[in-house]
Amino acid sequence: MKYFNIQMAAQISGLSTHTIRAWEKRYGALHPDRTDTGRRQYSNEEIERLTLLSQLTNLGNSIGQIARLPDPELKEIYEKLTHSRESVMMSVQHNPQQVQINAEETRRNLLMALAGYKVDIISHELNKAKTALTPGGFALDILVPLLKEVEHRRQLGTLSTAQITALFAIIKFHVGNIIYGHYEKKVKSSNKFAIATPEGELHLLDIMLGALLCCQHQMNFFFLSSNLPAPSISEAVNAIETNVLILGVSQLQNLKTPLPVFIEEILGHTKNLCEVWVVGMNDLTRQLSGHRSKKVRVFASFEELDKAMEQME
Amino acid sequence: MKYFNIQMAAQISGLSTHTIRAWEKRYGALHPDRTDTGRRQYSNEEIERLTLLSQLTNLGNSIGQIARLPDPELKEIYEKLTHSRESVMMSVQHNPQQVQINAEETRRNLLMALAGYKVDIISHELNKAKTALTPGGFALDILVPLLKEVEHRRQLGTLSTAQITALFAIIKFHVGNIIYGHYEKKVKSSNKFAIATPEGELHLLDIMLGALLCCQHQMNFFFLSSNLPAPSISEAVNAIETNVLILGVSQLQNLKTPLPVFIEEILGHTKNLCEVWVVGMNDLTRQLSGHRSKKVRVFASFEELDKAMEQME
DNA sequence: TGATCAATGACAAGGTTTTGTCTAGGTTTT
DNA sequence: AAAACCTAGACAAAACCTTGTCATTGATCA
């Protein structure tokens, strides 16, 4: 029986108050209670419904067609659009032509937009993908192939540093959006992850992918950020009592300390830490094959990391 | 059992004594004990309730609707609001509302929340400000003074590095939300800006403020991100045919190349570039006064940058 | 191809309610 | 006696309400 005013409804749902009133009047999307003097009062459920409608329209549904659907159906549609890893975005109801947007097309759009410096399209496309896909799907089906292709084109000289940093900035923003949003969801696993990169390794994106996978598998994780010296990491790991540390490394030669030494240093100063997982865009299994210990696992790809997490559930 | 008088209650909760009395009289928000002569006496619980009500109204709730709710429900609402950043942040869109906020009060709230490590409050407060204000207002009235105060407190030692990085991360997130949301909007001006920082200068926040001003004046801009070498910048500038380049610089000594050399290098390799604008949190006009060329403008503050853009419209 | 039309988000005008602040006049505390 | 508190009432700004309009967009149709 909690009641919010229209301003809060707008803040939470991300709509404007104008739009909320218009949706009510034009499409009967909601019928909030009124005070004696005619002011709208929204319950928790109604705010939830508004948010849902907002997200669905963002995904391309027209408000006129979904405004009058009952809550359960809205949720169902949202589930369909959201919970598919290999996603097919389809429009709803009486709209016969199903707009199919798949991961490959999204990636192609992104690369074309990047080539033409069309930042607006990049952002829009990423936003659509991240809402339509699960975090894991977003990471594995969009970002990983995209980043590989970008790296490839960088080496060919087809993409400039400026283009790539601009792209990375946008990606980081959208991924950050997902990661921050994850904190309040319920977590299944009892394992606790910490995610970081060693000092010298600046690639934030690699570990953001790792964080997305943690979101996917509803793991409890703490995102430590990049370029951290060993003492900082072990301190943090002790403080938040994590049992697994994910280290993002893409190039060994950048590191200040050789990776095996770095890892030993961390393991020597932590209590509960059971395992250290090393992962990155580049496959480091060969280069690190000589240094394996029981506590260290090196993953050849993010797909493998994904599988490993799946098994932990 | 300790009792507080109304002045203490006002001080702790951040309300005025007038307001507290009005809330009691009009909405029956509280029923404090009275002395024999009719003076209000507040218990710990009542002060807590008052503070809670104050925070909730600050977040946008109307006092009339929540004043009579019992304590547990108030707490529940508070939890919901501060713990569901997700819904607020998920929407990549900026909708200026008719809701008005007080810039100074917002900054005060932010600094208080930062001192108490209340990350969720910081995020919510920033979100409110960014929805209530235009991008330029958000930059100039909230962020610039806030960052100056933060820098001041950092030097005094009142704020730790951890607090500041946490704050910056949240600010970056919300500014990113505005910037990348703005890309989807239409632009007025025919001028095209590119925004970057030179290699060695990592301060992303400075140029984000510049980008906010571009949003404000509906300029066409490309956000190149930070830490870029001259060739990359000139390449991008040529590719997207910008006529103005905004360089964010806050400290000259960090740069790999002296700034005048860096700028000449860019100007020497670009075609359409008419002007290079240098701006940052620190006033560099004096330090760069010797190197001025016709094409280079150094701004003493973001306010000046704002004015310059206004004149271009 | 160009004209037309429905859908939709944004906004303006004009009126009502809500709410923070202030004033005035009296009482209590210091 | 000054400062702080009390009540009651007044006020103006903020927020909300409704109705109507406008610009854009995408689809349909001549």
Side-chain angles (χ1 to χ4, degrees):
Chain A
M1 308 294 162
K2 300 145 201 161
Y3 285 109
F4 297 96
N5 57 18
I6 196 170
Q7 193 201 331
M8 288 310 297
Q11 265 189 47
I12 297 174
S13 67
L15 298 162
S16 77
T17 56
H18 293 301
T19 306
I20 294 179
R21 281 190 281 258
W23 284 8
E24 180 184 330
K25 186 181 162 189
R26 294 211 263 246
Y27 319 108
L30 285 164
H31 301 284
D33 283 354
R34 303 292 191 115
T35 66
D36 300 339
T37 54
R39 306 211 156 189
R40 280 163 251 258
Q41 291 181 303
Y42 295 89
S43 69
N44 268 329
E45 291 71 34
E46 283 164 325
I47 297 230
E48 215 170 292
R49 179 180 172 83
L50 265 179
T51 311
L52 206 51
L53 286 173
S54 167
Q55 284 172 336
L56 284 175
T57 50
N58 271 340
L59 283 172
N61 292 104
S62 73
I63 182 61
Q65 285 184 338
I66 58 171
R68 288 180 176 280
L69 297 180
D71 278 5
E73 273 189 54
L74 288 179
K75 276 186 194 158
E76 201 180 315
I77 296 169
Y78 184 73
E79 293 291 310
K80 260 191 207 159
L81 292 179
T82 294
H83 272 269
S84 55
R85 238 203 71 188
E86 257 317 321
S87 96
V88 176
M89 286 180 47
M90 43 171 61
S91 61
V92 199
Q93 291 259 311
H94 321 292
N95 229 336
Q97 92 269 40
Q98 296 182 344
V99 192
Q100 292 205 349
I101 299 176
N102 58 20
E104 204 197 316
E105 189 180 334
T106 303
R107 294 200 306 269
R108 212 170 39 237
N109 289 344
L110 283 168
L111 286 166
M112 273 176 53
L114 186 59
Y117 287 84
K118 308 265 184 199
V119 197
D120 47 351
I121 299 185
I122 296 175
S123 181
H124 188 245
E125 205 70 35
L126 281 174
N127 189 35
K128 242 180 19 181
K130 81 160 188 262
T131 353
L133 297 170
T134 60
F138 188 53
L140 297 179
D141 299 336
I142 304 283
L143 295 181
V144 169
L146 179 71
L147 294 176
K148 280 189 184 154
E149 180 64 25
V150 165
E151 173 60 20
H152 183 224
R153 295 196 184 186
R154 190 188 65 74
Q155 286 173 354
L156 287 179
T158 331
L159 284 176
S160 70
T161 315
Q163 279 169 308
I164 294 175
T165 37
L167 174 70
F168 282 7
I170 305 177
I171 293 181
K172 276 179 203 161
F173 168 73
H174 285 285
V175 175
N177 197 324
I178 300 175
I179 294 177
Y180 288 135
H182 174 260
Y183 277 127
E184 66 244 34
K185 299 225 172 117
K186 284 168 205 156
V187 282
K188 263 202 265 177
S189 163
S190 56
N191 290 306
K192 213 165 181 183
F193 288 79
I195 308 180
T197 71
E199 199 168 13
E201 172 69 57
L202 296 170
H203 252 271
L204 194 60
L205 267 181
D206 280 19
I207 50 172
M208 286 192 130
L209 293 177
L212 283 180
L213 293 179
C214 285
C215 292
Q216 172 75 24
H217 297 287
Q218 310 190 305
M219 297 293 183
N220 204 342
F221 71 93
F222 197 91
F223 192 76
L224 286 172
S225 186
S226 59
N227 193 24
L228 291 171
S232 300
I233 295 183
S234 35
E235 190 182 322
V237 163
N238 281 329
I240 49 185
E241 299 184 353
T242 60
N243 23 14
V244 183
L245 168 67
I246 298 182
L247 276 183
V249 188
S250 59
Q251 294 214 321
L252 291 174
Q253 60 266 34
N254 294 338
L255 303 182
K256 280 205 175 176
T257 320
L259 192 58
V261 180
F262 189 87
I263 293 177
E264 283 312 315
E265 210 169 311
I266 293 176
L267 283 171
H269 290 84
T270 48
K271 293 174 195 171
N272 300 305
L273 198 61
C274 302
E275 295 194 357
V276 177
W277 293 6
V278 179
V279 69
M281 287 302 291
N282 302 325
D283 183 356
L284 300 177
T285 41
R286 281 190 198 170
Q287 295 172 61
L288 292 172
S289 58
H291 306 279
R292 274 195 202 156
S293 92
K294 279 177 197 166
K295 286 190 165 187
V296 181
R297 287 177 70 175
V298 183
F299 293 90
S301 67
F302 283 98
E303 278 81 4
E304 283 201 15
L305 180 62
D306 185 47
K307 277 182 206 158
M309 286 192 181
E310 206 165 338
Q311 285 174 4
M312 288 183 80
E313 283 186 21
Chain B
M1 176 69 75
K2 278 183 191 170
Y3 280 109
F4 301 88
N5 61 16
I6 195 169
Q7 199 162 43
M8 284 309 287
Q11 224 160 47
I12 298 172
S13 65
L15 299 161
S16 77
T17 57
H18 288 300
T19 305
I20 295 179
R21 280 191 281 260
W23 283 8
E24 180 183 330
K25 185 169 85 172
R26 293 210 267 246
Y27 320 108
L30 285 163
H31 301 285
D33 285 352
R34 304 288 190 119
T35 66
D36 300 341
T37 55
R39 311 224 147 181
R40 278 165 254 257
Q41 290 183 299
Y42 293 91
S43 68
N44 275 328
E45 291 72 33
E46 283 164 326
I47 298 259
E48 208 173 302
R49 177 180 173 84
L50 215 40
T51 312
L52 201 51
L53 285 173
S54 167
Q55 281 169 335
L56 283 175
T57 50
N58 242 323
L59 293 174
N61 288 97
S62 63
I63 182 62
Q65 284 180 324
I66 59 170
R68 289 179 175 281
L69 296 179
D71 279 3
E73 281 194 40
L74 289 180
K75 280 187 190 156
E76 206 175 312
I77 295 178
Y78 182 78
E79 289 293 310
K80 180 180 164 62
L81 290 182
T82 51
H83 261 272
S84 71
R85 283 194 312 272
E86 171 199 24
S87 45
V88 177
M89 292 170 127
M90 279 306 242
S91 53
V92 180
Q93 65 206 31
H94 175 77
N95 35 13
Q97 303 266 315
Q98 63 278 38
V99 180
Q100 298 194 3
I101 64 158
N102 179 324
E104 205 198 314
E105 194 181 324
T106 302
R107 294 201 307 269
R108 210 171 42 238
N109 288 342
L110 282 169
L111 286 167
M112 272 176 52
L114 185 58
Y117 286 87
K118 309 245 182 199
V119 188
D120 42 5
I121 301 248
I122 295 175
S123 182
H124 207 111
E125 202 72 38
L126 283 172
N127 184 57
K128 219 179 53 172
K130 83 162 188 257
T131 30
L133 299 170
T134 62
F138 187 54
L140 297 179
D141 298 336
I142 304 283
L143 294 182
V144 169
L146 180 71
L147 292 177
K148 280 188 183 156
E149 178 66 25
V150 165
E151 173 60 19
H152 183 225
R153 294 196 185 187
R154 191 189 63 75
Q155 285 172 354
L156 288 179
T158 331
L159 283 177
S160 72
T161 315
Q163 280 169 309
I164 293 176
T165 37
L167 174 70
F168 282 7
I170 304 174
I171 292 180
K172 277 179 202 163
F173 180 83
H174 285 281
V175 175
N177 194 319
I178 300 176
I179 293 177
Y180 297 126
H182 169 85
Y183 279 144
E184 324 220 341
K185 300 210 171 146
K186 296 267 164 64
V187 286
K188 260 202 276 182
S189 165
S190 57
N191 289 304
K192 214 161 180 185
F193 287 79
I195 308 180
T197 71
E199 200 169 11
E201 173 70 59
L202 295 171
H203 252 270
L204 195 60
L205 226 40
D206 280 20
I207 50 172
M208 286 192 130
L209 292 177
L212 282 181
L213 292 178
C214 285
C215 292
Q216 171 76 22
H217 298 287
Q218 306 188 308
M219 298 295 185
N220 204 343
F221 70 92
F222 191 92
F223 191 77
L224 285 171
S225 188
S226 57
N227 193 25
L228 287 172
S232 301
I233 295 184
S234 36
E235 192 183 337
V237 163
N238 281 328
I240 48 183
E241 300 184 352
T242 60
N243 21 17
V244 184
L245 168 67
I246 300 182
L247 276 183
V249 188
S250 57
Q251 294 215 321
L252 292 176
Q253 59 267 35
N254 294 338
L255 303 182
K256 279 205 175 175
T257 319
L259 193 57
V261 180
F262 189 87
I263 292 177
E264 284 313 314
E265 209 169 312
I266 292 178
L267 283 171
H269 291 85
T270 49
K271 293 173 193 171
N272 301 305
L273 197 63
C274 303
E275 295 194 355
V276 176
W277 294 5
V278 179
V279 69
M281 287 300 292
N282 302 325
D283 183 357
L284 300 177
T285 40
R286 280 190 198 168
Q287 296 172 62
L288 292 172
S289 57
H291 307 277
R292 274 198 201 155
S293 93
K294 280 174 195 166
K295 288 190 162 188
V296 181
R297 288 176 70 176
V298 183
F299 293 90
S301 66
F302 283 97
E303 278 82 3
E304 285 199 13
L305 179 63
D306 185 46
K307 277 182 205 156
M309 285 193 184
E310 204 165 342
Q311 285 173 4
M312 289 184 81
E313 283 186 24

